[in-house]
Amino acid sequence: MAETITGGELVAQALIERKVDTIFSLCGGHITPIYQYLEGSEVKIFDTRHEQSALFMAEAWGKLTRRAGVAMVTAGPGFTNALTGVASAHFSNTPLVLIAGCVGLDNKEKLDLQDMPQEAVIKPMVKKTLVCQKPERINEYIDLAFRTAQSGRPGPVYLEFPIDVLNTPVQKDAVKYTNTEVVSNPADPAKASEMIKMMQKAENPVVIAGTGAWQSHAESELKEFIEKTGMPLFTSLSGRGVVSDDHPLCFEGAIAIRPGCGFAAYIETDLIIVLGSRICLYYLFGDIFNPAAKLIQVDIEPEEIGRNRTVDLPVVSDVKGFLNACNQLLKDELSSELKLKFTPWIEKLSLAHKESKKNSKNDWQSDNLPIHPLRLAGEINAFMNQKTDIVVADGGDTTTWMGMTRTMTHAGRYLDYGIYGSLAVGLPYANAAKLLNPDSRVCLITGDGSIGFNFMEFETAIRKNLPIVVVISNDLGWGMIRHSQELRIGHAIENGTFIGKVDYHKMVEAIGGRGFFVQNPQDIKPALEEAFASNKVCCINVMTDPTTVSPGSAMLANVGAYKA
């Protein structure tokens, strides 16, 4: 008699053979047949307190490793709870595979427990949806899911298994096995030559490198490119730190509200080279750039090229592959010519950069009470090692302040919610970062509003022995919305923007962590020192000024969020 194997065992076997390290999940009946065969295997199931947290942890895993993070949820409510994390991974171009159980094929449209049309709901949010209806094809579907998530422009893939498919035994010799890894860095050498000709005509060029530079592993190629050309570099999102902020040609974060020379560079530039970054709100949809400037956009996804602004040289290419092609064309004589030509521009930007930083120094060193949130961000930036430590930011204004402050010398050491702007990522991101980097210190700075979404992930961190330190910038409510309302309509609507003083540190103490309460800026560093020295999950509740308006709040008030 032929040997048989169930669908659930086939799923587990395929994940084990792919050497998946960790699956982020919350258990449920529709995925128990997979749990059953993963139990005791080398694939670790990391259980969270909410499916949203499982997806955010998988997203953080994908951001940091540049390999697909894996999440697994049960049907119906488990599935719908996961959707925000899927959308976040979609907008951050992060490789992720979401495995979901669902009602059995024989029970569809019978009003069975937790039945709903899951594929139709999630289809617009992912690169591909896959619903496997034959257990003998499970391995093929898993192979396709990972291949799709990680190739081209990375992103989330949805993989659904009906419960009866997982429970059905099939003959082992009927199962088809495939396992293909796709690693590709396509480049267009002709376009590289065209770009260099445009560079030779420019006087004030800027280079912006984003997530595409990080995902394509283009660190060394990008550094070589700016050093051969002498052009100024700005980095954004996961591209932060791909070239160190300490490099004389790197002028830190690309977002214009960050202290530095970004705004001055954008309004004076005559050539913008965008490498793997979306022209989005961060650049006022392209309107922040000099309208007379030429624009070159390099992206592996054709649909992204030309969003919001006419592109003079569109390049459909992998960032790493394209930069490698450019570097081969930049011979010594041409390199020397470009560097000499752009030296006055670099000197001008360097001066503007120093002046802008100087203007923000008072806030970073403020002794005001309540504490200025930039002082809090500055203390964390100074305390956290740029090479070995990881900083995570969450919350509206809080992420703005930290993004304006954090120095990046190494990529993959800073996480925030990116252009999707979803609050609640903080605790899951921090837990994932600590799980992946157990020898690194991990600090989350978050708002008092955003900490409430997934607060029970404090308990997850304690239970899983992940000693993260969480700093809450407590401005008594939803600061970004409160301030944008004040700017736009003249007052804040109290219901919906005011929370009040909450002793979050005591709540963490009650479940087994350590808590600190800080009201004086001089006490921030000692609290950080004691928290990390404790090697426990810690919450530092810092009372910050509720009247300080961030540039992010000002932008929100002026982007059409409210009626005139």
Side-chain angles (χ1 to χ4, degrees), residues 512-529:
R514 286 202 60 186
F516 301 83
F517 183 62
V518 173
Q519 293 179 288
N520 192 302
Q522 282 74 32
D523 295 333
I524 298 171
K525 183 179 178 181
L528 287 167
E529 290 173 337

Side-chain angles (χ1 to χ4, degrees), residues 266-308:
Y266 296 158
I267 61 174
E268 293 188 43
T269 182
D270 57 2
L271 177 66
I272 308 145
I273 301 173
V274 181
L275 303 172
S277 186
R278 291 171 164 180
I279 301 176
C280 60
L281 172 64
Y282 282 15
Y283 315 111
L284 297 183
F285 316 110
D287 292 341
I288 198 168
F289 301 130
N290 177 5
K294 297 291 185 182
L295 179 60
I296 299 169
Q297 188 174 8
V298 181
D299 204 288
I300 201 166
E301 181 57 49
E303 74 168 23
E304 205 57 56
I305 297 176
R307 186 192 296 274
N308 293 320

Side-chain angles (χ1 to χ4, degrees), residues 478 481-482 485-486 489-498 562:
W478 305 94
I481 303 302
R482 182 171 67 231
Q485 288 179 355
E486 289 167 347
I489 63 177
H491 68 282
I493 302 168
E494 184 166 326
N495 290 333
T497 65
F498 182 75
Y562 308 101

Side-chain angles (χ1 to χ4, degrees), residues 472-486:
I472 300 175
S473 177
N474 192 338
D475 67 354
L476 308 178
W478 305 94
M480 178 170 276
I481 303 302
R482 182 171 67 231
H483 297 315
S484 65
Q485 288 179 355
E486 289 167 347

Side-chain angles (χ1 to χ4, degrees), residues 121-170:
V121 170
I122 203 170
K123 194 167 187 176
M125 303 164 63
V126 295
K127 289 184 72 175
K128 194 172 185 67
T129 60
L130 297 164
V131 180
C132 185
Q133 299 183 358
K134 289 183 175 292
E136 58 267 32
R137 297 198 65 195
I138 280 173
N139 190 84
E140 294 175 71
Y141 274 65
I142 289 177
D143 182 38
L144 179 57
F146 279 87
R147 198 166 69 244
T148 303
Q150 294 175 168
S151 61
R153 178 168 72 176
V157 171
Y158 176 66
L159 179 57
E160 180 177 293
F161 295 110
I163 184 66
D164 49 5
V165 171
L166 294 175
N167 284 326
T168 298
V170 295

Side-chain angles (χ1 to χ4, degrees), residues 7-164:
E9 188 173 359
L10 280 168
V11 174
Q13 185 183 85
L15 294 169
I16 292 167
E17 289 177 355
R18 291 197 74 89
K19 301 189 184 304
V20 171
D21 183 276
T22 305
I23 296 175
F24 302 98
S25 183
L26 199 158
C27 60
H30 293 91
I31 52 176
T32 290
I34 303 174
Y35 266 64
Q36 177 184 353
Y37 291 101
L38 287 176
E39 185 181 21
S41 77
E42 52 266 46
V43 178
K44 298 183 288 290
I45 294 178
F46 188 103
D47 55 307
T48 61
R49 297 296 297 266
H50 195 287
E51 288 89 357
Q52 184 187 88
S53 295
L55 267 294
F56 283 143
M57 288 193 74
E59 182 194 15
W61 196 271
K63 281 185 173 185
L64 293 171
T65 66
R66 295 177 279 194
R67 302 286 295 172
V70 184
M72 185 162 59
V73 300
T74 197
F79 165 81
T80 55
N81 284 344
L83 292 176
T84 300
V86 173
S88 185
H90 168 74
F91 279 100
S92 66
N93 299 334
T94 299
L96 185 149
V97 173
L98 169 61
I99 298 170
C102 74
V103 170
L105 296 172
D106 289 341
N107 283 355
K108 283 287 184 182
E109 303 298 339
K110 288 185 177 181
L111 297 182
D112 195 4
L113 178 67
Q114 298 180 335
D115 187 15
M116 66 168 290
Q118 295 175 183
E119 183 188 18
V121 170
I122 203 170
K123 194 167 187 176
M125 303 164 63
V126 295
K127 289 184 72 175
K128 194 172 185 67
T129 60
L130 297 164
V131 180
C132 185
Q133 299 183 358
K134 289 183 175 292
E136 58 267 32
R137 297 198 65 195
I138 280 173
N139 190 84
E140 294 175 71
Y141 274 65
I142 289 177
D143 182 38
L144 179 57
F146 279 87
R147 198 166 69 244
T148 303
Q150 294 175 168
S151 61
R153 178 168 72 176
V157 171
Y158 176 66
L159 179 57
E160 180 177 293
F161 295 110
I163 184 66
D164 49 5

